[in-house]
Amino acid sequence: MDQREVREAWEKFVERGALSADLRSSVAASWQRSRNHQVTVDRAMAPLVAEAELFRHRSKHASLRHAARCALDNSRTFLSDANSIMILTDPTGLIIDTQGDDRVIDAGRTVHLEHGGRWSEADIGTNAIGAAIAESKPVQIRGVEHFCTKVQRWTCAAVPVHDPTDGELLGVVDISGPASTFNPQSLALAVSVGHHVESVLSQSVRQDHEKLLCHFLAKRSLWMTEEFIVLDRRGAILHGTERALGSMRDNRRGADGDAATRFLKAVPFEEWPTKLKEILPNASFDLVNNGTSGIGAIIVLHARRRSPVADRDVHKLKTGFERREAASSLPPRNDLTPRPRQLEDTTGDTTSSFVARDPIVRSIVHQIETAAARKMPILIRGETGTGKEQLARHAHDASGRKGAFVPVNCAALPESLVEAELFGYADGAFTGARRGGAIGLVKEADGGTLFLDEIGDMPVALQAVLLRLLDDWTVRPVGGTRAKVDVFLISATNAALDKAIAERRFRSDLLYRLNTLEVTLPRLRDRTDFDAIVRHLLAAIDPDCEITSATIAGLATQPWLGNIRELRNVLARLTLTADGLIDEARVKSVIREAPLTTSGSLQETQRSHILAVHTETAGNVSETARRLGVSRNTIYRALGQKTSR
């Protein structure tokens, strides 16, 4: 049928519900489904999800996007003048990537054929994406074959992409353009690209399986048992001993083969230990990552101990692989992965960078490590001095990335040179440019971590520039050529971003891109591991200096407005005259109690403490900030509040 005949058949169906026998079967079936979904022909555009939801979907389907990246990048070249675009959707028809002719990309926004647009048949009626999902086969829809009139200006060809291991629908590859650009070969191109994406996914699965089995063979000698199960990320069993598999089937009420663990495919990777513990309560689990995401797990089945051991003895013995000789008669702990060197272990011993004995902080660190392994953007909130940068550095170490950790003070970047500072510049790009140019902060972090500190104070101009970077991770040096970068992004702030967004000082769409994981470090006075923090800091400042428990208890009563940073500064001053021991008398000679105000509120107490130190320093703001371990902005705010009162 030509387009005129299809138009007549469409009008007949819309008016009377009658389907022409000459209509293509795929079109007829899709029109009927559209009517069943109660889609009206005057629906002007597809639904568009919010930025935050789009970001979640793009993160969830990162492996699909990675597999399609090469094809999408190539489409920019061969579709740039073809009046067409290539589209990638998730299994629901939500568009997560587009590439091709910029003019068509702009035109697509009129019907929400863009990032975040939902193109299932239930959302916008007959279209190639929705029909390919509904029929699980390649489909081409031309012009008036679309159900909604506004969409009839388009032509599209789509092919579903399936998981090469179990056939599950992962998404759709689509080629779209104005109806006047219809080409029967578009469907063949879409099918070819779909096969390429599935081939890349299949290769990735094989590589993950090889890494899993190599990890298993390398670690096998560390566990005092011969009972194992190796699972890939989809819950498929790659290897297992008969006894271990039997135990698992028994606990899953007779489930056969992969059925016992296939449910794990839909479970977030960090929740696997909890779910696996339900299946095999007498087992330990080693989650395996490939640097960016989880690829599977090794389940180690343990025999029950012949004689019980007191909990306190277990607590002393179970401290990681470095002490497994002492713990050989005990089952390994649930998490078989050695703890990162920069965290204290369960014995309470601290190491060189970060203390995490407080339960809240320990939970935060676990989340940070999981997100870092997946290279998910992290936003760390907390007051000044709570250890945000130290936690960011720990995340960098936990990510396993080999590149540099590059901290950037967003508040200190000169607004006029934002792009030059971030992206670098070529030799002679502008007057005053350094000879030979500069690679820029983002390029320095390529292969490593970019830490954006004080993002709440970043200039609006920088926010726009940063959004552009996060969209495609392409560096554009001033006067130079573009280049892709691979960067793990961590941000930190002590500002109230919700208020900043309401006052239009911070962009909400930028926040959604920065806070895939958002954590808030507690204030020092709210933490339960004050004693461990003091001893840890003191060991780093002066290993030969000791402090009494009574002195630590006295220090804990202070407000610590500058949190850990202020505590570190105070301890450093105490060591100067301590003669090897810090006692209560020494502390009283250095620290003056913060005066209480009539209101007695914590805010008033904090302000009074700041003003008292400000008076002691004869009005020197920098020295006041240094003594308290806070930023000068904090001091200025307190002084401003005093003036306003």
Side-chain angles (χ1 to χ4, degrees), residues 291 372 395-403:
H396 169 70
D397 292 339
S399 72
R401 297 175 67 79
K402 304 302 182 184

Side-chain angles (χ1 to χ4, degrees), residues 27-58:
V27 175
S30 183
W31 282 2
Q32 189 62 59
R33 287 193 298 269
S34 299
R35 169 166 285 191
N36 293 341
H37 287 308
Q38 299 183 341
V39 177
T40 57
V41 296
D42 60 351
R43 189 167 294 183
M45 58 185 65
L48 191 68
V49 303
E51 285 279 349
E53 185 177 353
L54 170 61
F55 193 79
R56 284 194 293 271
H57 279 266
R58 297 183 80 178

Side-chain angles (χ1 to χ4, degrees), residues 315-480:
H315 183 68
K316 292 178 181 178
L317 289 170
K318 291 167 62 179
T319 59
F321 286 179
E322 69 280 4
R323 301 183 188 177
R324 65 187 178 84
E325 292 84 359
S328 59
S329 63
L330 302 174
R333 64 177 190 271
N334 278 349
D335 179 11
L336 295 176
T337 305
R339 289 182 176 86
R341 289 172 49 220
Q342 294 180 335
L343 284 180
E344 64 171 1
D345 65 23
T346 54
T347 64
D349 298 329
T350 56
T351 53
S352 61
S353 176
F354 204 85
V355 178
R357 191 184 294 179
D358 181 280
I360 294 176
V361 179
R362 190 184 295 279
S363 173
I364 288 172
V365 168
H366 176 70
Q367 295 177 62
I368 287 285
E369 290 173 348
T370 303
R374 300 182 180 188
K375 210 184 84 170
M376 295 166 56
I378 298 171
L379 173 62
I380 305 173
R381 292 181 184 249
E383 290 184 358
T384 297
T386 49
K388 296 187 290 295
E389 181 169 342
Q390 284 69 30
L391 184 58
R393 290 183 181 275
H394 176 73
H396 169 70
D397 292 339
S399 72
R401 297 175 67 79
K402 304 302 182 184
F405 178 90
V406 180
V408 180
N409 187 331
C410 298
L413 282 174
E415 193 164 345
S416 59
L417 295 175
V418 163
E419 295 199 20
E421 290 281 349
L422 284 180
F423 305 137
Y425 51 86
D427 189 7
F430 52 87
T431 302
R434 187 169 60 198
R435 188 171 185 178
I439 65 171
L441 295 168
V442 176
K443 191 67 175 177
E444 284 184 27
D446 191 17
T449 301
L450 184 68
F451 175 57
L452 301 178
D453 198 10
E454 298 188 35
I455 60 161
D457 297 323
M458 70 167 58
V460 176
L462 174 57
Q463 295 177 37
V465 171
L466 185 58
L467 269 172
R468 188 174 66 195
L469 170 67
L470 298 180
D471 190 55
D472 58 9
W473 286 109
T474 298
V475 173
R476 303 170 179 85
V478 178

Side-chain angles (χ1 to χ4, degrees), residues 17-32:
L19 285 168
S20 170
D22 297 327
L23 199 63
R24 288 195 295 134
S25 60
S26 59
V27 175
S30 183
W31 282 2
Q32 189 62 59

